[in-house]
Amino acid sequence: MATIIDGKKLAVEVRERAAAEVAELASRGIPCGLAVVLVGNDQGSATYVRAKLRDCELCGIPSHDYKLPADTTQEELMALIARLNADADVAGILVQMPLPAHLDEEQVVLAIDPLKDVDGFHPESLGRLVRGLPGLRPCTPAGIMEMLDAYGIDPAGKNAVIVGRSSIVGKPMSLMLLARNATISVAHSHTDPRELARICQSADILVAACGIPKMVKGPWVKPGAAVIDVGMDRDEDGKLCGDVDFASAELVAGHITPVPGGVGPMTRAMLMSNVALAAKIQHGLA
Ligand code: GUN
């Protein structure tokens, strides 16, 4: 039976570390504000934003909360980002995605000052990751690396398989595991479905980030593997579940993350950590 990776408990530790860093920076007169921008009325996004604002409170990070109407224009949003880029009290800027369909997300990501890019979505941040330079990393893969380290799972020399190739999880995850000397394979929607089980079975570290409920089954898991589930899905009964069929996978895996209580809390905690890091970078301290 697998060891459960307790993301909730680890997230508390990451938040405590971020809170200590923020307090230290504040004592030197360095502000660590986080601007959180939500456009429109998507209930899911509103819930995520509430959770992020609560985390800010827990960490002593002053939050700057912007709730914009669904008919906000691209120009209005760009003007707000320009103001936040110039605001010395704002160390980090987060624009909650997805944006309403009439808004250009790519243009928004590009407009955020890379030094304040606490999501790690800007091409400068991703380019730094590709080149192996220090910088702000996307929160979900950064949180997964923290989890692997906390449980003594060293990627060096291991086979890592990532199912999913999004710009915010799959691609940066593969690069971060590569940087730690794993041999990486990335499976995606065009991977031959008959090959998928065999590819997953080669994984010492298996990261499921495809957004398909319970797609990764127990028999796809190599005995003793670390199984990391990024999914936030609903099963046939409407119950929250991940991209991994937990019940069958936990019988085979060495380590496994639960949903909820695994990757999700760590993603949020890494955002707090990124705010402190962004403030340090802006003041030449990192
Ligand atoms: N929407 C879903 N996840 C995220 C995230 O990590 N950052 C932002 N900005 N939007 C999201």
Side-chain angles (χ1 to χ4, degrees):
M1 205 73 156
T3 300
I4 309 289
I5 297 179
D6 189 343
K8 230 168 137 174
K9 180 161 147 249
L10 260 181
V12 173
E13 292 173 23
V14 171
R15 275 200 303 270
E16 282 171 1
R17 223 161 58 207
E21 287 173 349
V22 166
E24 155 76 10
L25 289 163
S27 75
R28 301 203 210 177
I30 296 173
C32 287
L34 175 65
V36 180
V37 181
L38 174 64
V39 187
N41 309 309
D42 182 77
Q43 283 314 299
S45 290
T47 304
Y48 284 129
V49 162
R50 266 197 305 278
K52 288 170 188 179
L53 295 172
R54 205 165 49 235
D55 287 345
C56 284
E57 230 174 276
L58 289 173
C59 295
I61 292 173
S63 57
H64 304 240
D65 182 13
Y66 293 88
K67 298 232 170 12
L68 307 183
D71 62 356
T72 299
T73 65
Q74 187 78 24
E75 292 68 30
E76 287 166 335
L77 184 53
M78 299 298 275
L80 172 60
I81 291 168
R83 275 210 314 280
L84 297 172
N85 281 342
D87 186 338
D89 287 337
V90 171
I93 302 170
L94 181 140
V95 180
Q96 185 66 25
M97 306 292 180
L99 291 170
H102 68 281
L103 295 172
D104 180 347
E105 287 185 358
E106 209 58 44
Q107 202 188 3
V108 168
V109 169
L110 282 169
I112 294 171
D113 181 344
L115 297 176
K116 299 190 176 187
D117 175 35
V118 287
D119 263 327
F121 293 171
H122 193 284
E124 160 109 15
S125 306
L126 294 170
R128 285 182 157 271
L129 173 57
V130 172
R131 293 197 60 88
L133 299 170
L136 294 160
R137 305 292 193 235
C139 298
T140 298
I144 291 170
M145 296 311 291
E146 288 278 338
M147 292 199 283
L148 295 176
D149 284 339
Y151 282 80
I153 301 160
D154 180 3
K158 304 253 172 69
N159 288 332
V161 173
I162 300 102
V163 185
R165 57 170 167 181
S166 69
S167 296
I168 65 175
V169 182
K171 282 186 213 167
M173 181 81 264
S174 61
L175 290 165
M176 288 166 86
L177 287 164
L178 182 61
R180 292 282 302 275
N181 300 317
T183 301
I184 54 167
S185 308
V186 182
H188 47 78
S189 53
H190 290 248
T191 300
D192 184 342
R194 294 164 301 188
E195 291 293 310
L196 200 50
R198 187 188 57 75
I199 294 167
C200 289
Q201 282 157 0
S202 73
D204 303 303
I205 299 169
L206 178 57
V207 180
C210 54
I212 300 170
K214 300 186 185 181
M215 193 181 78
V216 173
K217 319 278 183 211
W220 297 18
V221 175
K222 179 176 178 176
V227 178
I228 309 295
D229 191 348
V230 181
M232 281 285 258
D233 313 314
R234 297 273 166 192
D235 68 11
E236 56 283 355
D237 303 322
K239 198 167 153 265
L240 189 63
C241 71
D243 295 349
V244 175
D245 179 34
F246 185 88
S248 61
E250 77 161 334
L251 302 174
V252 191
H255 292 83
I256 190 165
T257 63
V259 176
V263 171
M266 282 301 284
T267 295
R268 280 168 44 198
M270 294 314 291
L271 175 66
M272 301 297 106
S273 173
N274 269 355
V275 175
L277 177 58
K280 282 191 203 166
I281 293 172
Q282 287 155 37
H283 289 83
L285 301 171

